[in-house]
Amino acid sequence: MKIKKVFNNNVALTEDANQTEMVVMGKGLAFQKKIGDTIDMEKIEKTFVVPSQGFTDKFSALLDEIPHEILVISRDIVDIAMKELQTDLNDSLYLSLADHIDFAITRTKEGLPIKNPLAWEVRKFYRKEYDIARNVLDLIEERMGIRLPEDEAASIALHLFNAKQGDTGMEETMTMTQIVTDITDIVKYHFGIEFDMDSMNYSRFITHLRYFAYRMLRKELHKDDRESSLFEQVKGEYPEAYACTQKVQAYLNRQYGVEMTKDEATYFMIHIHRVSHREKNN
C-alpha cells in the first residue's frame, strides 16, 4: 500500500495493488513519509475507501480545521456504532461526524445554545441510535473535558441513522423523521391512544413508516393496484383503520402532493389496525 498524499503525520491517502484509493489513519503512520513510500501496516488503526471524486480536497481542508483527537473520537464512535447496530455505516460518516462534533464543541465553549428541533422525535423513533449517542456524549466529555448538551445526542443519532441509509442526505433524513412524526400523531389523535414504544406492534409500525417515507421521498412507491381486491376486504373489516388511513392520505396529498395507491393504503390499514387495536385493549 503506497502513499499518494500525506494529509498530516497521522493520516494519508494510499493506493493498494488494485489501484483502490483508501484513507488510512493511525498515530504517526505518515511521519516523515512522502509520496510513493510504503505504509507500515502495523500502524494503521482505521481505513476507508475514498467514496467519490473531489473527496480528497474536502478531506484535506477538513483536516486543516479539525484537531486529530476529534478525528480519533469520530473513528471510535463509528466503530462502536457499527458493533451496536450490527451494520456497516457509510464511510462519509467519519467526516460528517467529526465536522459536527468539532462545531458543537466550539459552540458550547462559546456559550451558544444548541437546540435540535427534532430531539423528542429522535428519542422516540431512533432509540438504538439515540442510546449510542448518549454514550458518545460521555466519551467526548472523557476525552475532551467538555460536556455537550443533551440535544447533541439527538443530532449525533441522526448522523448515525443517516449513515445507515447509504447515500441519504441529512435533510432527507430529517424530512423522513417529520413524516413519521406527523403520521403517528394522526393515528394517536384519531384513536385517542398513547403508544407503548416498547411493543413489537409499535416497532413494526415505525419500521413501515420509515420505509414508506424513504420510498416516498425517492419516488419509489408502487405504481400499480394489484392489491385492490385485498384493499376492499381490509377496508370492510377495519373501518376505523380505513378512516384513519384517509386522514393520512389527506396529509400526504396536502403536504407532499402524494397519492397512495390501494396496495399502499392496504398496508397502512393493516398496520394501523394492529397498533391501534393492541393499544386500545391495553
Side-chain angles (χ1 to χ4, degrees):
M1 189 177 287
K2 295 187 179 298
I3 293 177
K4 289 192 67 176
K5 182 181 178 66
V6 174
F7 293 112
N8 58 38
N9 290 338
N10 309 300
V11 187
L13 177 68
T14 65
E15 187 175 77
D16 64 15
N18 297 319
Q19 296 186 318
T20 300
E21 289 190 342
M22 302 180 70
V23 172
V24 294
M25 302 172 62
K27 190 170 183 179
L29 62 71
F31 179 65
Q32 293 186 333
K33 294 284 187 178
K34 60 183 184 298
I35 294 174
D37 286 349
T38 302
I39 284 288
D40 183 351
M41 303 296 287
E42 293 184 358
K43 290 187 176 182
I44 296 177
E45 299 173 5
K46 193 67 190 178
T47 66
F48 56 90
V49 176
V50 173
S52 62
Q53 287 187 337
F55 171 87
T56 304
D57 291 338
K58 293 178 183 178
F59 187 63
S60 182
L62 198 61
L63 285 176
D64 290 337
E65 301 174 5
I66 296 179
H68 177 67
E69 56 265 33
I70 291 181
L71 287 171
V72 173
I73 289 174
S74 177
R75 179 204 66 199
D76 292 344
I77 292 169
V78 174
D79 288 345
I80 292 168
M82 286 196 294
K83 182 179 179 180
E84 293 292 325
L85 298 172
Q86 297 183 333
T87 186
D88 290 332
L89 298 173
N90 193 304
D91 284 336
S92 63
L93 178 62
Y94 291 104
L95 299 190
S96 63
L97 199 55
D99 188 41
H100 178 85
I101 291 171
D102 181 59
F103 188 42
I105 289 174
T106 298
R107 286 186 295 171
T108 300
K109 287 180 177 179
E110 292 175 352
L112 300 176
I114 302 174
K115 291 291 182 182
N116 186 323
L118 293 175
W120 187 77
E121 287 83 358
V122 172
R123 284 196 294 270
K124 281 203 309 178
F125 303 139
Y126 310 130
R127 299 181 73 181
K128 287 184 178 179
E129 291 84 356
Y130 185 77
D131 287 342
I132 293 169
R134 289 197 67 186
N135 291 330
V136 165
L137 298 189
D138 295 335
L139 177 65
I140 293 172
E141 183 176 22
E142 178 185 330
R143 300 271 188 91
M144 304 295 294
I146 185 168
R147 183 72 186 183
L148 297 180
E150 286 299 308
D151 269 21
E152 276 305 316
S155 298
I156 291 170
L158 278 174
H159 276 281
L160 297 179
F161 179 78
N162 183 51
K164 286 169 57 180
Q165 307 306 301
D167 59 351
T168 304
M170 181 59 73
E171 183 178 350
E172 185 172 298
T173 297
M174 294 183 74
T175 302
M176 286 170 53
T177 304
Q178 190 62 60
I179 292 170
V180 172
T181 299
D182 292 342
I183 293 177
T184 53
D185 282 347
I186 289 170
V187 176
K188 181 171 68 174
Y189 292 123
H190 179 85
F191 290 96
I193 57 176
E194 290 294 335
F195 294 115
D196 176 5
M197 292 185 287
D198 293 320
S199 72
M200 184 60 68
N201 284 307
Y202 177 79
S203 178
R204 290 195 189 104
F205 183 48
I206 295 302
T207 298
H208 175 73
L209 291 184
R210 286 178 183 167
Y211 185 50
F212 174 83
Y214 177 83
R215 291 182 294 120
M216 187 192 86
L217 292 175
R218 290 171 171 252
K219 304 185 186 306
E220 295 175 358
L221 294 179
H222 297 305
K223 293 180 172 55
D224 61 285
D225 279 338
R226 288 174 294 178
E227 301 294 332
S228 58
S229 59
L230 181 59
F231 170 84
E232 295 298 334
Q233 179 183 342
V234 173
K235 173 184 172 182
E237 291 183 7
Y238 307 141
E240 277 302 311
Y242 170 72
C244 185
T245 299
Q246 290 295 94
K247 291 182 179 179
V248 172
Q249 173 60 83
Y251 156 76
L252 294 173
N253 191 272
R254 182 177 65 253
Q255 294 294 113
Y256 302 99
V258 170
E259 190 79 31
M260 279 192 288
T261 56
K262 287 184 178 179
D263 55 341
E264 294 285 358
T266 299
Y267 292 127
F268 260 93
M269 284 189 285
I270 292 171
H271 279 286
I272 288 173
H273 170 75
R274 180 182 291 164
V275 73
S276 63
H277 181 71
R278 296 289 174 86
E279 298 296 350
K280 286 178 74 173
N281 286 345
N282 289 337

mmCIF file of all heavy atoms in Angstrom, residues 66-85:
data_model
loop_
_atom_site.group_PDB
_atom_site.id
_atom_site.type_symbol
_atom_site.label_atom_id
_atom_site.label_comp_id
_atom_site.label_asym_id
_atom_site.label_seq_id
_atom_site.Cartn_x
_atom_site.Cartn_y
_atom_site.Cartn_z
ATOM 1 N N ILE A 66 -9.823 20.592 11.816
ATOM 2 C CA ILE A 66 -10.274 19.729 12.914
ATOM 3 C C ILE A 66 -9.085 19.072 13.611
ATOM 4 O O ILE A 66 -8.235 18.459 12.965
ATOM 5 C CB ILE A 66 -11.230 18.646 12.380
ATOM 6 C CG1 ILE A 66 -12.499 19.306 11.828
ATOM 7 C CG2 ILE A 66 -11.596 17.649 13.479
ATOM 8 C CD1 ILE A 66 -13.485 18.331 11.269
ATOM 9 N N PRO A 67 -9.018 19.172 14.954
ATOM 10 C CA PRO A 67 -7.934 18.529 15.709
ATOM 11 C C PRO A 67 -7.947 17.011 15.515
ATOM 12 O O PRO A 67 -9.006 16.399 15.360
ATOM 13 C CB PRO A 67 -8.263 18.893 17.162
ATOM 14 C CG PRO A 67 -9.136 20.093 17.073
ATOM 15 C CD PRO A 67 -9.929 19.931 15.819
ATOM 16 N N HIS A 68 -6.770 16.420 15.553
ATOM 17 C CA HIS A 68 -6.656 14.977 15.336
ATOM 18 C C HIS A 68 -7.457 14.177 16.364
ATOM 19 O O HIS A 68 -8.056 13.146 16.029
ATOM 20 C CB HIS A 68 -5.182 14.549 15.385
ATOM 21 C CG HIS A 68 -4.991 13.069 15.242
ATOM 22 N ND1 HIS A 68 -5.271 12.401 14.071
ATOM 23 C CD2 HIS A 68 -4.567 12.129 16.144
ATOM 24 C CE1 HIS A 68 -5.023 11.107 14.245
ATOM 25 N NE2 HIS A 68 -4.591 10.920 15.483
ATOM 26 N N GLU A 69 -7.506 14.648 17.617
ATOM 27 C CA GLU A 69 -8.217 13.882 18.645
ATOM 28 C C GLU A 69 -9.705 13.762 18.343
ATOM 29 O O GLU A 69 -10.345 12.776 18.713
ATOM 30 C CB GLU A 69 -8.013 14.491 20.038
ATOM 31 C CG GLU A 69 -8.395 15.948 20.171
ATOM 32 C CD GLU A 69 -7.211 16.888 19.995
ATOM 33 O OE1 GLU A 69 -6.303 16.547 19.210
ATOM 34 O OE2 GLU A 69 -7.200 17.938 20.653
ATOM 35 N N ILE A 70 -10.259 14.759 17.634
ATOM 36 C CA ILE A 70 -11.675 14.669 17.266
ATOM 37 C C ILE A 70 -11.869 13.646 16.146
ATOM 38 O O ILE A 70 -12.864 12.915 16.120
ATOM 39 C CB ILE A 70 -12.227 16.055 16.871
ATOM 40 C CG1 ILE A 70 -12.286 16.953 18.112
ATOM 41 C CG2 ILE A 70 -13.618 15.932 16.236
ATOM 42 C CD1 ILE A 70 -12.842 18.327 17.871
ATOM 43 N N LEU A 71 -10.912 13.574 15.239
ATOM 44 C CA LEU A 71 -10.970 12.543 14.205
ATOM 45 C C LEU A 71 -10.899 11.155 14.832
ATOM 46 O O LEU A 71 -11.585 10.225 14.402
ATOM 47 C CB LEU A 71 -9.829 12.720 13.204
ATOM 48 C CG LEU A 71 -9.946 13.884 12.225
ATOM 49 C CD1 LEU A 71 -8.646 14.051 11.452
ATOM 50 C CD2 LEU A 71 -11.107 13.677 11.264
ATOM 51 N N VAL A 72 -10.067 11.020 15.846
ATOM 52 C CA VAL A 72 -9.941 9.734 16.546
ATOM 53 C C VAL A 72 -11.257 9.395 17.250
ATOM 54 O O VAL A 72 -11.729 8.253 17.197
ATOM 55 C CB VAL A 72 -8.781 9.765 17.560
ATOM 56 C CG1 VAL A 72 -8.766 8.488 18.393
ATOM 57 C CG2 VAL A 72 -7.449 9.929 16.838
ATOM 58 N N ILE A 73 -11.859 10.394 17.899
ATOM 59 C CA ILE A 73 -13.153 10.180 18.553
ATOM 60 C C ILE A 73 -14.200 9.752 17.534
ATOM 61 O O ILE A 73 -14.970 8.814 17.763
ATOM 62 C CB ILE A 73 -13.612 11.459 19.292
ATOM 63 C CG1 ILE A 73 -12.753 11.697 20.532
ATOM 64 C CG2 ILE A 73 -15.087 11.364 19.686
ATOM 65 C CD1 ILE A 73 -13.036 13.011 21.238
ATOM 66 N N SER A 74 -14.216 10.434 16.398
ATOM 67 C CA SER A 74 -15.168 10.104 15.342
ATOM 68 C C SER A 74 -14.976 8.669 14.875
ATOM 69 O O SER A 74 -15.944 7.919 14.689
ATOM 70 C CB SER A 74 -15.005 11.075 14.167
ATOM 71 O OG SER A 74 -15.874 10.740 13.111
ATOM 72 N N ARG A 75 -13.726 8.290 14.702
ATOM 73 C CA ARG A 75 -13.424 6.908 14.287
ATOM 74 C C ARG A 75 -13.925 5.913 15.313
ATOM 75 O O ARG A 75 -14.553 4.903 14.976
ATOM 76 C CB ARG A 75 -11.911 6.757 14.122
ATOM 77 C CG ARG A 75 -11.438 5.363 13.721
ATOM 78 C CD ARG A 75 -9.996 5.152 14.141
ATOM 79 N NE ARG A 75 -9.869 5.152 15.595
ATOM 80 C CZ ARG A 75 -8.723 5.343 16.240
ATOM 81 N NH1 ARG A 75 -7.631 5.616 15.577
ATOM 82 N NH2 ARG A 75 -8.686 5.288 17.567
ATOM 83 N N ASP A 76 -13.688 6.188 16.587
ATOM 84 C CA ASP A 76 -14.117 5.277 17.656
ATOM 85 C C ASP A 76 -15.637 5.198 17.751
ATOM 86 O O ASP A 76 -16.198 4.123 18.010
ATOM 87 C CB ASP A 76 -13.531 5.724 18.996
ATOM 88 C CG ASP A 76 -12.014 5.565 19.058
ATOM 89 O OD1 ASP A 76 -11.477 4.836 18.201
ATOM 90 O OD2 ASP A 76 -11.387 6.161 19.949
ATOM 91 N N ILE A 77 -16.304 6.336 17.534
ATOM 92 C CA ILE A 77 -17.769 6.353 17.573
ATOM 93 C C ILE A 77 -18.341 5.458 16.476
ATOM 94 O O ILE A 77 -19.269 4.675 16.702
ATOM 95 C CB ILE A 77 -18.308 7.787 17.413
ATOM 96 C CG1 ILE A 77 -17.957 8.623 18.645
ATOM 97 C CG2 ILE A 77 -19.824 7.777 17.192
ATOM 98 C CD1 ILE A 77 -18.217 10.100 18.470
ATOM 99 N N VAL A 78 -17.772 5.564 15.283
ATOM 100 C CA VAL A 78 -18.250 4.750 14.158
ATOM 101 C C VAL A 78 -18.044 3.266 14.452
ATOM 102 O O VAL A 78 -18.927 2.432 14.181
ATOM 103 C CB VAL A 78 -17.545 5.153 12.855
ATOM 104 C CG1 VAL A 78 -17.939 4.202 11.725
ATOM 105 C CG2 VAL A 78 -17.899 6.586 12.477
ATOM 106 N N ASP A 79 -16.899 2.927 15.012
ATOM 107 C CA ASP A 79 -16.637 1.523 15.357
ATOM 108 C C ASP A 79 -17.650 1.011 16.379
ATOM 109 O O ASP A 79 -18.172 -0.097 16.260
ATOM 110 C CB ASP A 79 -15.220 1.378 15.916
ATOM 111 C CG ASP A 79 -14.149 1.533 14.848
ATOM 112 O OD1 ASP A 79 -14.501 1.460 13.657
ATOM 113 O OD2 ASP A 79 -12.972 1.724 15.207
ATOM 114 N N ILE A 80 -17.917 1.821 17.398
ATOM 115 C CA ILE A 80 -18.895 1.445 18.434
ATOM 116 C C ILE A 80 -20.286 1.285 17.822
ATOM 117 O O ILE A 80 -21.005 0.314 18.100
ATOM 118 C CB ILE A 80 -18.928 2.501 19.558
ATOM 119 C CG1 ILE A 80 -17.615 2.483 20.349
ATOM 120 C CG2 ILE A 80 -20.113 2.269 20.492
ATOM 121 C CD1 ILE A 80 -17.438 3.663 21.283
ATOM 122 N N ALA A 81 -20.662 2.240 16.969
ATOM 123 C CA ALA A 81 -21.996 2.228 16.364
ATOM 124 C C ALA A 81 -22.189 1.001 15.468
ATOM 125 O O ALA A 81 -23.251 0.354 15.490
ATOM 126 C CB ALA A 81 -22.232 3.503 15.572
ATOM 127 N N MET A 82 -21.181 0.664 14.678
ATOM 128 C CA MET A 82 -21.304 -0.500 13.798
ATOM 129 C C MET A 82 -21.460 -1.785 14.605
ATOM 130 O O MET A 82 -22.204 -2.690 14.227
ATOM 131 C CB MET A 82 -20.100 -0.586 12.858
ATOM 132 C CG MET A 82 -20.117 0.430 11.738
ATOM 133 S SD MET A 82 -18.969 0.077 10.378
ATOM 134 C CE MET A 82 -17.383 0.260 11.218
ATOM 135 N N LYS A 83 -20.749 -1.860 15.734
ATOM 136 C CA LYS A 83 -20.861 -3.036 16.588
ATOM 137 C C LYS A 83 -22.235 -3.110 17.236
ATOM 138 O O LYS A 83 -22.869 -4.172 17.267
ATOM 139 C CB LYS A 83 -19.774 -3.003 17.662
ATOM 140 C CG LYS A 83 -19.773 -4.216 18.577
ATOM 141 C CD LYS A 83 -18.648 -4.132 19.599
ATOM 142 C CE LYS A 83 -18.661 -5.336 20.538
ATOM 143 N NZ LYS A 83 -17.564 -5.264 21.544
ATOM 144 N N GLU A 84 -22.719 -1.981 17.758
ATOM 145 C CA GLU A 84 -24.005 -1.964 18.449
ATOM 146 C C GLU A 84 -25.187 -2.151 17.487
ATOM 147 O O GLU A 84 -26.158 -2.831 17.801
ATOM 148 C CB GLU A 84 -24.166 -0.644 19.214
ATOM 149 C CG GLU A 84 -23.214 -0.470 20.381
ATOM 150 C CD GLU A 84 -23.494 -1.440 21.513
ATOM 151 O OE1 GLU A 84 -24.681 -1.754 21.742
ATOM 152 O OE2 GLU A 84 -22.526 -1.893 22.162
ATOM 153 N N LEU A 85 -25.101 -1.516 16.316
ATOM 154 C CA LEU A 85 -26.191 -1.585 15.347
ATOM 155 C C LEU A 85 -26.092 -2.816 14.460
ATOM 156 O O LEU A 85 -27.018 -3.131 13.718
ATOM 157 C CB LEU A 85 -26.209 -0.322 14.476
ATOM 158 C CG LEU A 85 -26.459 0.991 15.214
ATOM 159 C CD1 LEU A 85 -26.252 2.179 14.276
ATOM 160 C CD2 LEU A 85 -27.853 1.030 15.826
#
